[in-house]
Amino acid sequence: TTRVLNENHINTGLTPPATLHFAGIFSDGGVHSHISHLEQMIAKAYEQGIKRMRIHAVFDGRDVPPMSEPKYIKRIEQFIQRFPNADIKIASGGGRMVTVADRYENDWNVVARGWDMMVNGEADYYFKSAEEAITVLRRVKPGVQDQNLPAFVIVNEKEQPVGKIEKGDALIYFDFRADRAIEIAMAFTY
């Protein structure tokens, strides 16, 4: 079931122009998260006056069909159009077995790729949109499943990352399973 957030659930202490970032499993599989929860958090943050938000998508492909990511990108892109005067974008992405959230082998390389992608704005691939990223990566790596998509960063017309996590920003990592968040949380606390 989906629970509606109340005013106590998102209290970031952000002061504009700081950015609220979201990272988590980007699907409706319901094992790790559900995209509707991301939508609710975006809506609540907007309602509370947060106008600049970035999404760091960790692609699923395991609890949903293995190459279904384009439908979630389309869904979130349509959803964020509901918020006038907001600056909400997908800033980076990559497969769950590749970036941000390792839980299997204490593979700090996975966490480091996530850190580099989200904080440093660095990855092996750079694109103008998440849709372009999926299209090109499927062409470059035929048959690659969403969970194994390489890390990428979205850049603007000046080739600068659109959403690095910077000092003063806030990050909400959303996942039902705490083991996915432990290592990336540790990286932010050291």
Side-chain angles (χ1 to χ4, degrees):
T1 62
T2 300
R3 199 176 86 166
V4 177
L5 297 172
N6 67 37
E7 63 275 2
N8 296 321
H9 282 85
I10 297 181
N11 182 2
T12 63
L14 283 178
T15 317
T19 303
L20 176 57
H21 298 263
F22 298 98
I25 302 291
F26 196 71
S27 78
D28 60 3
V31 174
H32 290 274
S33 65
H34 198 287
I35 197 167
S36 66
H37 297 161
L38 172 61
E39 291 167 342
Q40 287 181 44
M41 288 185 289
I42 289 170
K44 180 53 73 174
Y46 180 82
E47 180 184 304
Q48 293 181 354
I50 299 170
K51 303 293 190 245
R52 183 173 162 81
M53 295 176 245
R54 294 295 183 264
I55 300 161
H56 304 275
V58 181
F59 299 135
D60 191 348
R62 184 178 228 157
D63 300 316
V64 295
M67 298 175 90
S68 59
E69 203 50 56
K71 83 176 189 178
Y72 302 111
I73 292 168
K74 182 177 181 180
R75 176 177 169 164
I76 206 72
E77 293 286 356
Q78 290 175 342
F79 179 79
I80 61 180
Q81 296 306 311
R82 299 179 187 179
F83 303 98
N85 306 316
D87 179 11
I88 307 169
K89 296 179 172 77
I90 296 175
S92 65
R96 67 192 255 172
M97 300 302 288
V98 175
T99 187
V100 180
D102 170 64
R103 75 177 178 103
Y104 297 104
E105 305 287 334
N106 284 323
D107 187 346
W108 284 94
N109 290 323
V110 170
V111 178
R113 277 190 292 276
W115 178 271
D116 285 342
M117 178 182 85
M118 296 188 301
V119 177
N120 297 326
E122 298 172 355
D124 289 338
Y125 296 93
Y126 298 87
F127 299 102
K128 299 293 185 193
S129 71
E131 184 178 324
E132 177 192 22
I134 300 298
T135 301
V136 171
L137 290 171
R138 293 245 193 273
R139 191 172 54 240
V140 172
K141 297 179 173 291
V144 67
Q145 295 183 355
D146 295 340
Q147 67 178 338
N148 295 312
L149 284 166
F152 64 85
V153 171
I154 305 301
V155 294
N156 62 22
E157 61 283 345
K158 295 179 182 176
E159 304 297 320
Q160 297 300 309
V162 300
K164 296 191 301 185
I165 299 174
E166 300 189 26
K167 186 174 182 164
D169 289 352
L171 169 65
I172 295 175
Y173 186 85
F174 57 98
D175 196 320
F176 300 146
R177 297 177 58 169
D179 58 354
R180 282 275 175 182
I182 290 170
E183 291 170 349
I184 194 67
M186 289 172 65
F188 276 98
T189 58
Y190 286 106

